[in-house]
Amino acid sequence: MIAQFTVAGDGLAYDICIVGGGTVGLAIAAALENAKLRVCVLEAGGRWQTNRSQELYHGIVADPLVHPPVQNFRIRALGGSSRAWRGRCVPFDSIDFQKREWVCNSGWPITYETLLPYYRRAHEVIEVGSYDYDPTSALPGSRVELFEGVDGDLFRTRLERFSRPTNVWKRLSGLLRTSRHIHIWLNAAATGIRLAPNGRCVHHIDCVDLKGTKREVTACHYIVAAGGFETTRLLLASIDVMPAGIGNARDQLGRFYMAHLGGTVGALKLPNAQQAGWRTELSHGESCPPSYWGRAPMGSILSFIRNRSRTPQAD
């Protein structure tokens, strides 16, 4: 079922409440269809993005040169950012989860191996093919090095993967529209996560519809899947029991956000034979191989070489 939150009555109670109808929220809801549980998805936007809804995503960017406007690639509508993306995927390496003395605050409570089965499932959901980023096995019979002789102790060629691109709402809407167990509420903006007085569990979610009517949604379990910005905002705004925000006792919530920082660091001129054989459509990149991890005090770096020789302005 899918409906506007304005028609929802009081006493909204579910087994599972999912905040966010984007890629993750819709994928989780679809996966729960056969569980026969009462599930609701609270989507702050509607079926399609509107100027009014997108205005709520506007924000201040400290340096516009290194980060686009925050409303550009976040879509407040069913499907979320999957309505605008290309589905670009590059997984973490195992070292990204490890404690490194030269990386401040490094070390995760989970490992790469913990995430691996979920990586594979995510590939199915967003349709990016098999979980294989090694050109040797992913592209059998093709050239495995970006440039012959470059791969070794210092560099290795890896692949990026892109979805079709996949709009997750279009892909899953057939199942979700007809489900008798899943309720999708549109224009249902979550404004606060209200904890029990002892702070050990969630009592309800505060929501507001387009008319400003406030309602409470209760559930046995809650999943916050509103994206990096909105999930953090919602946790920080929920201060009635925990004054610093939920999960923010150590003042760390939201402080590790980082966009795709990048820049041009130089130019590479190749022998004519290699230059002539280089194809612009290859989605190859160079990264440090596992044999080099820990040998230098540096973070993970992924570099790309763009072919300018095919443009009229090139040298």
Side-chain angles (χ1 to χ4, degrees), residues 18-190:
I18 302 171
V19 179
T23 300
V24 176
L26 294 180
I28 293 173
L32 292 170
E33 164 64 11
N34 294 327
K36 310 304 181 187
L37 299 171
R38 281 177 51 81
V39 178
C40 79
V41 177
L42 303 175
E43 168 52 45
R47 295 174 187 262
W48 304 275
Q49 69 189 84
T50 64
N51 291 335
R52 178 182 178 184
S53 64
Q54 286 302 111
E55 285 176 359
L56 296 172
Y57 275 170
H58 281 246
I60 299 173
V61 176
D63 188 349
L65 294 178
V66 298
H67 197 294
V70 293
Q71 73 275 10
N72 280 14
F73 303 109
R74 299 190 300 145
I75 308 300
R76 197 179 179 94
L78 280 174
S81 297
S82 74
R83 304 176 74 101
W85 69 354
R86 294 187 297 161
R88 179 186 180 189
C89 295
V90 179
F92 287 113
D93 289 316
S94 60
I95 194 174
D96 295 321
F97 299 87
Q98 299 171 16
K99 173 68 176 178
R100 287 161 285 171
E101 296 302 326
W102 61 91
V103 179
C104 183
N105 297 309
S106 60
W108 287 41
I110 59 174
T111 65
Y112 169 82
E113 288 70 26
T114 304
L115 280 184
L116 187 56
Y118 301 100
Y119 271 145
R120 299 187 190 283
R121 180 70 183 106
H123 273 228
E124 298 173 10
V125 171
I126 61 175
E127 302 177 299
V128 292
S130 62
Y131 183 75
D132 190 353
Y133 291 81
D134 186 339
T136 304
S137 52
L139 302 172
S142 65
R143 186 173 64 192
V144 298
E145 290 183 274
L146 186 58
F147 299 109
E148 185 178 355
V150 170
D151 284 16
D153 288 340
L154 190 58
F155 293 107
R156 62 171 176 168
T157 300
R158 303 290 286 169
L159 299 177
E160 288 184 313
R161 285 187 176 272
F162 293 81
S163 69
R164 295 180 177 270
T166 298
N167 179 325
V168 176
W169 168 243
K170 285 186 177 180
R171 186 177 183 216
L172 302 177
S173 60
L175 181 153
L176 295 174
R177 286 176 191 272
T178 58
S179 174
R180 294 183 298 173
H181 311 285
I182 301 171
H183 292 179
I184 297 179
W185 295 111
L186 300 179
N187 295 297

Side-chain angles (χ1 to χ4, degrees), residues 147 263-270 275 304-309 314-315:
F147 299 109
T264 300
V265 297
L268 177 65
K269 189 171 184 179
L270 300 170
Q275 188 170 344
F304 296 90
I305 303 172
R306 303 186 184 280
N307 188 355
R308 298 184 59 195
S309 64
D315 294 335

